[in-house]
Amino acid sequence: MDDITGGILKLTDDLALTRMGYGAMRLTGPGIWGPPKDPAEAIRVLRTVADLGLLHIDTSDYYGPYVVNDLIREALYPYPSGLRIVTKVGARRGDDRSWFPAMTEPELIEAVYDNLKRLDVEQLDVVNLRMHDTSDPTIPFSVLTALQDEGLIAHLGVSNVTEDQLLICRGIAPVVCVQNEYNLVNRGDDALVDICAENGIAYVPFFPLGGFSPLQSEILDEVAQDLGATRQQTALAWLLQRSPTICVIPGTSSVAHLKENVAASGIRFSEIASQRLNAL
């Protein structure tokens, strides 16, 4: 990791992601619903992402809904060379702001076309299938594979999956990334992180800083203080050093906070600091 982007992870001949990316979910109103409080700052955040050389933006049409993809298009179209926009399908929002699975063939097809339209592209770089339980993903993943065969999707990923579900999907088509909940104090996916590294698959933790319940740890605070860094920067740096195929996508609606997050890629741990954090 020689620069603020965390280095480049090359997944295929035509897909390379900076290991430091950006999750755009926070560019909405409260509850991931409606427009941002400061639309101009949201546009500045996205343009700063590009200016910093980050090549990995995570999004979905059900953020807002539609708000985030519209902002990405407004801020960045025509898109910078090398930028990869990774989206998700498999969910929808109710009028009461609730979240529902949307896993039928018509729903998945509609979601892919909605993303294409909102982002104003002819092909989506990566589409993650967002699972909601431990059921067999064969049918919904096969729907996305068919859309990939049509040229509407370049690469496929999965989200919120078990090891068994990943194995099933990989038996249908190549999987370039896994997006699951994982962070310094939520290590349930340790084995899957290593499986992804062994197979050259990007592991992209969502809620890398704890999500709606920020990380709490005295040891994390102590290590961060010793480093002269924030708790959040230290947690992100730990993820980048946990596995060579981990990519982080911390979200924010502030340019200052974005730059603070990106600076985490420059943090290096002593052996003692690593041992203390690994033991959490």
Side-chain angles (χ1 to χ4, degrees):
M1 294 182 291
D2 296 323
D3 58 39
I4 61 171
T5 70
I8 299 288
L9 177 61
K10 186 172 182 178
L11 298 168
T12 69
D13 288 342
D14 64 342
L15 179 64
L17 302 177
T18 49
R19 295 187 62 213
M20 176 63 71
Y22 173 70
M25 183 178 75
R26 300 288 184 178
L27 297 182
T28 62
I32 322 302
W33 186 271
K37 181 179 180 180
D38 187 344
E41 179 72 354
I43 295 295
R44 284 192 290 269
V45 167
L46 287 164
R47 289 177 177 165
T48 302
V49 167
D51 290 343
L52 292 173
L54 306 187
L55 301 179
H56 180 186
I57 293 179
D58 178 81
T59 185
S60 177
D61 242 11
Y62 55 75
Y63 294 159
Y66 307 120
V67 168
V68 171
N69 278 352
D70 287 346
L71 285 169
I72 290 171
R73 184 188 69 248
E74 179 182 350
L76 298 176
Y77 188 88
Y79 302 112
S81 176
L83 177 66
R84 297 293 178 257
I85 300 174
V86 180
T87 191
K88 282 179 295 299
V89 298
R92 61 182 176 86
R93 304 298 299 275
D95 292 337
D96 60 352
R97 305 189 182 188
S98 55
W99 303 74
F100 291 100
M103 301 288 282
T104 67
E105 181 175 0
E107 288 173 320
L108 293 170
I109 292 173
E110 181 181 11
V112 167
Y113 275 97
D114 278 346
N115 276 276
L116 289 165
K117 178 182 177 182
R118 297 280 177 175
L119 293 170
D120 197 7
V121 295
E122 295 182 356
Q123 184 183 68
L124 299 170
D125 296 321
V126 183
V127 174
N128 287 325
L129 174 66
R130 210 290 186 179
M131 296 297 295
H132 301 268
D133 53 34
T134 58
S135 61
D136 188 337
T138 298
I139 292 177
F141 195 73
S142 295
V143 171
L144 296 185
T145 301
L147 295 173
Q148 183 183 38
D149 291 341
E150 292 179 26
L152 301 179
I153 301 170
H155 301 284
L156 297 174
V158 288
S159 177
N160 200 42
V161 294
T162 65
E163 293 178 35
D164 288 341
Q165 288 173 323
L166 174 60
L167 184 63
I168 290 170
C169 291
R170 293 185 68 206
I172 298 170
V175 172
V176 298
C177 58
V178 171
Q179 189 178 106
N180 278 11
E181 183 173 0
Y182 184 79
N183 55 55
L184 181 61
V185 299
N186 181 355
R187 306 274 297 278
D189 249 13
D190 267 338
L192 189 52
V193 168
D194 293 334
I195 289 171
C196 287
E198 292 165 3
N199 290 278
I201 298 170
Y203 185 97
V204 186
F206 65 77
F207 293 162
L209 300 174
F212 300 108
S213 300
L215 299 181
Q216 301 292 329
S217 166
E218 290 185 10
I219 291 177
L220 174 59
D221 290 343
E222 291 170 2
V223 171
Q225 185 174 9
D226 290 343
L227 291 167
T230 67
R231 172 196 301 140
Q232 293 83 358
Q233 288 173 322
T234 305
L236 291 171
W238 179 84
L239 285 169
L240 287 170
Q241 294 173 58
R242 165 63 179 85
S243 164
T245 66
I246 279 185
C247 297
V248 295
I249 50 168
T252 179
S253 58
S254 157
V255 170
H257 190 204
L258 169 67
K259 292 180 177 179
E260 181 180 289
N261 286 338
V262 170
S265 62
I267 293 175
R268 301 293 180 270
F269 298 127
S270 67
E271 184 175 348
I272 292 176
S274 293
Q275 289 173 350
R276 296 187 73 195
L277 294 174
N278 291 342
L280 287 175

